[in-house]
Amino acid sequence: ETEATEGTVWKHPNLRIAYVAQHAFHHIEQHLDKTPNEYIQWRYAVGEDREALVKATRQDTAEDKAAKEKVHQIKAEDGTLQKLKVDKLLGRRKLKKDYEYEVQWLGKGPEAATWLTRD
């Protein structure tokens, strides 16, 4: 990093810098009408990389789909067991050696989400 030898240096607290390799774009044809700045703003506007979300490696495999169809028995607040299917994953947190996933259940809203260990 270059250090200033004279003058005032001011850095905006929300500053973000991105590097996009020119040869890495197989999808560039969709963004020819955008400036580089507009493209970066579009790509990261939702807080995640929109291009990474559509990568083949991010798509559900047959194993993922089978896991989504699995019925889980979850203990409700009143102590009864409910049989639920996963609708979508909302978050992930690391435990000592494994992960725990915040799950939204099919037919229920995000307020009913619970944490589920990876079985």
Side-chain angles (χ1 to χ4, degrees):
E1 184 174 324
T2 306
E3 295 291 329
T5 57
E6 59 183 61
T8 303
V9 176
W10 182 81
K11 296 179 184 178
H12 193 279
N14 294 332
L15 175 70
R16 292 184 181 178
I17 297 176
Y19 169 77
V20 181
Q22 194 173 1
H23 67 280
F25 290 105
H26 63 277
H27 50 267
I28 193 72
E29 301 84 34
Q30 301 166 12
H31 306 285
L32 293 175
D33 59 328
K34 294 181 175 80
T35 66
N37 190 346
E38 290 170 335
Y39 171 73
I40 294 299
Q41 288 180 15
W42 170 85
R43 186 169 174 174
Y44 298 101
V46 296
E48 283 196 55
D49 184 353
R50 286 185 182 176
E51 300 293 355
L53 295 174
V54 296
K55 282 185 178 179
T57 56
R58 295 283 306 248
Q59 302 306 310
D60 286 348
T61 63
E63 184 181 329
D64 295 333
K65 290 176 184 173
K68 228 177 164 181
E69 291 300 316
K70 180 180 175 186
V71 176
H72 298 271
Q73 290 191 352
I74 305 298
K75 189 179 265 190
E77 290 179 8
D78 62 2
T80 61
L81 286 178
Q82 294 181 334
K83 293 182 178 181
L84 301 169
K85 286 186 180 180
V86 173
D87 182 24
K88 61 183 171 181
L89 299 178
L90 302 176
R92 180 179 82 165
R93 63 185 176 195
K94 180 137 175 74
L95 300 174
K96 290 181 182 177
K97 293 186 179 182
D98 207 0
Y99 289 98
E100 198 173 45
Y101 298 91
E102 187 178 16
V103 175
Q104 181 174 328
W105 300 105
L106 193 61
K108 299 191 179 279
E111 67 281 348
T114 57
W115 288 94
L116 186 65
T117 57
R118 188 176 188 179
D119 317 289

